[in-house]
Amino acid sequence: MNYNKHPQLIVICGATATGKSGLALELAQRLNTVILSADSRQVYREFDIGTAKPSVAERQLVPHYLIDICAPTETLTVADYQEQAQELITSLHSPLLLVGGTGLYIKAIVRGLKIPRVAPNENLRSQLSGLGQTQCYSFLQQVDPIAAEKIHPHDQVRTLRALEVFYITGRPISEQQGENPPNYPILQIGLQCQDADALTRRITQRTEMMVTAGLIEEVKTLVDKYSWDLPLLDTLGYREMKHYLAGDISLSEAKALTVVHTRQFAKRQRTWFRAYPDIQWFDADRPDLVDQVWQRVQEFRDNISMNLS
């Protein structure tokens, strides 16, 4: 039986700089398949070096999807991403690789999150923000007490989102959320660095490589084209280099801050992914990593074959 005709998904996730892309390229070639990106910044065109976007050569070697699908001035919502990813999973040759460190993107796919399709409304958010968080949270307790119980009183972002959904749709966000997991088999592989110093070295090396590859020039081009105020320029790596270009800090300080902030970001990613028991973890620094993961992939596919036969 040809089990390639049935949707199958292999997830490669984990913190930044753990080698997810390199492992995925190797697996994709062995499986003769493609890679779906699960990175919330790689979806944006022109943000290449600072997002560690796969090179042209890598994309020629293995087709990549969900990269460069949105202009820097646009907003791609999680619901937009989920819709496009789900369409690819059901239409492309299986198994597919879903690769990245954006936990919410991955959760949206593997858990089948139900996401209210309500685009951000800046005018409404501005009006609500002007009332203050205390008043907004009080409103939320009145219109959606279930959501209010799950949202911390000081969490302005989630409070505003819940109110936004309610005022636009007329229905509480708690009624529109939930999960509808897909019925196809999923294998989740996580990469982690057991040695904190090893991860720091990886991050430092990658930061230096990005600068050498032209990160500063990339930031300058983006500033010239879109202005200093483009929100994406306030994200990791770009923010620090923007301050360097503005003359606020030296290049060495910008690189050092990038390393520090990347380490902090990696810690938050680890905390997110650690909450999901279905992820099978592998040491990113083990010399036989590819062979060990490949063995697990083969076991996964053999089990599918047995269940379908």
Side-chain angles (χ1 to χ4, degrees):
M1 180 174 293
N2 185 359
Y3 57 179
N4 286 334
K5 293 182 180 179
H6 299 266
Q8 306 161 33
L9 189 64
I10 299 170
V11 178
I12 307 294
C13 63
T16 187
T18 51
K20 298 183 296 294
S21 298
L23 174 62
L25 279 170
E26 179 64 34
L27 293 179
Q29 291 176 83
R30 293 190 183 191
L31 292 167
N32 189 29
T33 190
V34 304
I35 292 174
L36 309 184
S37 172
D39 188 296
S40 61
R41 295 193 303 171
Q42 290 184 1
V43 299
Y44 293 99
R45 294 186 286 273
E46 301 176 70
F47 279 72
D48 303 326
I49 299 172
T51 64
K53 194 175 291 180
S55 66
V56 173
E58 288 170 333
R59 282 184 261 181
Q60 289 175 341
L61 192 63
V62 174
H64 286 66
Y65 292 83
L66 301 174
I67 288 176
D68 293 339
I69 59 176
C70 192
T73 52
E74 299 172 338
T75 299
L76 187 85
T77 66
V78 177
D80 293 332
Y81 173 85
Q82 181 191 51
E83 181 179 27
Q84 294 191 41
Q86 288 174 335
E87 289 178 358
L88 290 167
I89 291 168
T90 55
S91 64
L92 292 175
H93 183 79
S94 286
L96 300 175
L97 294 175
L98 180 67
V99 183
T102 301
L104 188 55
Y105 276 14
I106 293 173
K107 184 179 180 181
I109 302 304
V110 302
R111 294 287 188 92
L113 294 183
K114 296 178 182 178
I115 305 170
R117 293 197 62 83
V118 176
N121 186 310
E122 296 303 328
N123 184 46
L124 176 58
R125 290 186 179 189
S126 177
Q127 293 181 51
L128 291 170
S129 296
L131 298 175
Q133 173 62 13
T134 301
Q135 185 64 57
C136 286
Y137 190 76
S138 176
F139 285 161
L140 182 61
Q141 289 176 309
Q142 297 173 38
V143 302
D144 192 350
I146 296 176
E149 287 184 4
K150 299 177 181 179
I151 298 174
H152 192 280
H154 296 159
D155 190 338
Q156 182 181 35
V157 173
R158 294 180 66 198
T159 299
L160 289 178
R161 177 57 177 169
L163 288 174
E164 179 180 54
V165 170
F166 174 78
Y167 286 124
I168 291 177
T169 67
R171 294 173 55 210
I173 191 173
S174 59
E175 291 182 3
Q176 303 182 55
Q177 293 177 323
E179 297 180 358
N180 183 26
N183 57 9
Y184 50 78
I186 300 174
L187 171 64
Q188 297 186 65
I189 299 293
L191 296 186
Q192 61 181 347
C193 285
Q194 304 282 11
D195 183 354
D197 291 337
L199 180 60
T200 298
R201 288 193 296 271
R202 282 172 174 261
I203 292 172
T204 301
Q205 181 181 31
R206 192 170 78 159
T207 300
E208 290 290 348
M209 290 175 61
M210 285 179 173
V211 172
T212 301
L215 177 58
I216 297 170
E217 291 75 11
E218 179 172 279
V219 174
K220 186 177 186 305
T221 298
L222 290 166
V223 167
D224 290 344
K225 185 173 182 178
Y226 297 106
S227 87
W228 296 93
D229 298 325
L230 182 70
L232 280 172
L233 286 171
D234 277 326
T235 62
L236 187 60
Y238 292 93
R239 176 178 57 248
E240 294 81 4
M241 296 304 155
K242 188 176 74 169
H243 285 309
Y244 161 66
L245 287 173
D248 300 329
I249 55 178
S250 67
L251 179 56
S252 61
E253 289 174 319
K255 291 191 289 187
L257 284 172
T258 300
V259 172
V260 170
H261 295 157
T262 303
R263 287 179 57 188
Q264 294 169 343
F265 176 60
K267 183 177 180 180
R268 293 194 296 272
Q269 287 177 301
R270 288 195 303 273
T271 300
W272 172 284
F273 287 119
R274 279 296 179 185
Y276 298 95
D278 292 336
I279 299 175
Q280 300 175 39
W281 291 98
F282 289 80
D283 184 355
D285 293 311
R286 62 183 301 165
D288 60 345
L289 173 64
V290 174
D291 290 336
Q292 288 295 314
V293 173
W294 177 242
Q295 180 180 336
R296 182 64 192 91
V297 169
Q298 289 180 307
E299 293 170 355
F300 167 71
R301 303 195 72 208
D302 287 343
N303 287 335
I304 296 172
S305 181
M306 290 176 60
N307 291 333
L308 292 175
S309 61

